[in-house]
């Protein structure tokens, strides 16, 4: 009788081990599918013929922050972008107001950013002249928006600057 119990315990153990392996394999497959279908957080950045991409950015961190900010701006990642706004702005404007202000941006899709010029205004302030190419109405029409995007380094971290009409830069 003990042999029968030992046999059923072995069957239970084998079933549990097989179930565990199947679970792990399914988990890995689901993670791979999730990573493959996750939206990319990178945008296409093209440079004007007068701009040399390798030498125009003061450092690679600013370039990656710039791409992250503009990718998030049109993909609905409001909380992520709020953290990239300069600390002064975060003190003055609440996340709720920020979310309401940029909610309409999700109707457009950012196709690419064209960098015209990157100007070092001081040791901590950079101005990026660029054109944003946006798809509107589900992609049926495109519009080009020219802007002067500003970035400030605070404690070695680059933050986006929303131009405040009270303080002209």
């Amino acid at each position: 009788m003990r042999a029968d119990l030992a046999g059923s315990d072995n069957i239970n153990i084998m079933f549990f081990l097989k179930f565990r392996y199947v679970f792990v394999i399914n988990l890995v497959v689901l993670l791979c599918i999730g990573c493959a279908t996750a939206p990319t957080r990178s945008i296409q950045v093209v440079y004007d013929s007068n701009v040399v991409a390798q030498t125009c950015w003061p450092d690679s961190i600013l370039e990656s922050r710039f791409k992250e900010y503009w990718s998030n701006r049109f993909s609905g990642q409001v909380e992520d972008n709020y953290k990239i706004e300069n600390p002064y702005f975060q003190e003055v404007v609440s996340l709720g107001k920020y979310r309401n202000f940029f909610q309409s941006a999700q109707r457009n899709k950012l196709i690419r950013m064209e960098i015209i010029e990157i100007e070092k205004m001081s040791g901590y302030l950079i101005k990026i002249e660029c054109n944003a190419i946006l798809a509107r109405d589900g992609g049926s029409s495109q519009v080009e928006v020219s802007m002067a995007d500003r970035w400030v380094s605070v404690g070695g971290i680059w933050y986006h600057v929303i131009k405040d009409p009270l303080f002209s830069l």
Side-chain angles (χ1 to χ4, degrees):
M1 185 177 214
R2 281 189 91 64
D4 289 339
L5 285 176
S8 68
D9 286 343
N10 285 341
I11 292 172
N12 288 338
I13 291 171
M14 291 302 288
F15 175 76
F16 177 72
L17 289 176
K18 286 181 183 178
F19 177 76
R20 213 170 68 186
Y21 289 125
V22 170
F23 176 77
V24 169
I25 290 170
N26 284 335
L27 181 63
V28 169
V29 168
L30 288 173
L31 285 173
C32 290
I33 291 171
C35 292
T37 59
T40 178
R41 290 189 141 197
S42 183
I43 58 170
Q44 179 187 11
V45 174
V46 295
Y47 297 88
D48 186 81
S49 60
N50 297 327
V51 178
V52 179
Q54 291 78 18
T55 60
C56 65
W57 295 100
D59 60 46
S60 61
I61 296 169
L62 176 58
E63 181 181 15
S64 65
R65 294 280 279 187
F66 176 85
K67 289 178 181 180
E68 178 184 7
Y69 179 85
W70 287 106
S71 294
N72 291 344
R73 177 82 173 262
F74 292 92
S75 67
Q77 303 294 328
V78 177
E79 290 81 10
D80 292 343
N81 261 20
Y82 184 74
K83 294 173 188 171
I84 298 175
E85 297 295 354
N86 72 71
Y88 165 77
F89 182 85
Q90 291 180 38
E91 286 293 320
V92 174
V93 178
S94 71
L95 177 58
K97 286 182 183 178
Y98 185 79
R99 184 180 291 115
N100 290 339
F101 186 71
F102 286 110
Q103 197 169 20
S104 63
Q106 295 175 22
R107 294 188 308 227
N108 301 316
K109 181 180 183 218
L110 181 63
I111 304 297
R112 72 180 174 276
M113 291 294 281
E114 297 175 349
I115 306 295
I116 307 302
E117 180 183 12
I118 297 178
E119 179 184 348
K120 186 174 183 178
M121 299 178 74
S122 71
Y124 60 89
L125 185 63
I126 301 292
K127 181 172 78 171
I128 303 170
E129 295 286 339
C130 54
N131 297 324
I133 311 302
L134 305 171
R136 291 193 171 180
D137 304 323
S140 62
S141 67
Q142 288 187 359
V143 65
E144 183 175 317
V145 179
S146 296
M147 68 183 95
D149 199 34
R150 290 169 176 79
W151 290 80
V152 65
S153 178
V154 178
I157 300 172
W158 287 102
Y159 294 95
H160 183 253
V161 177
I162 292 181
K163 190 169 181 181
D164 188 332
L166 299 176
F167 304 101
S168 179
L169 296 177

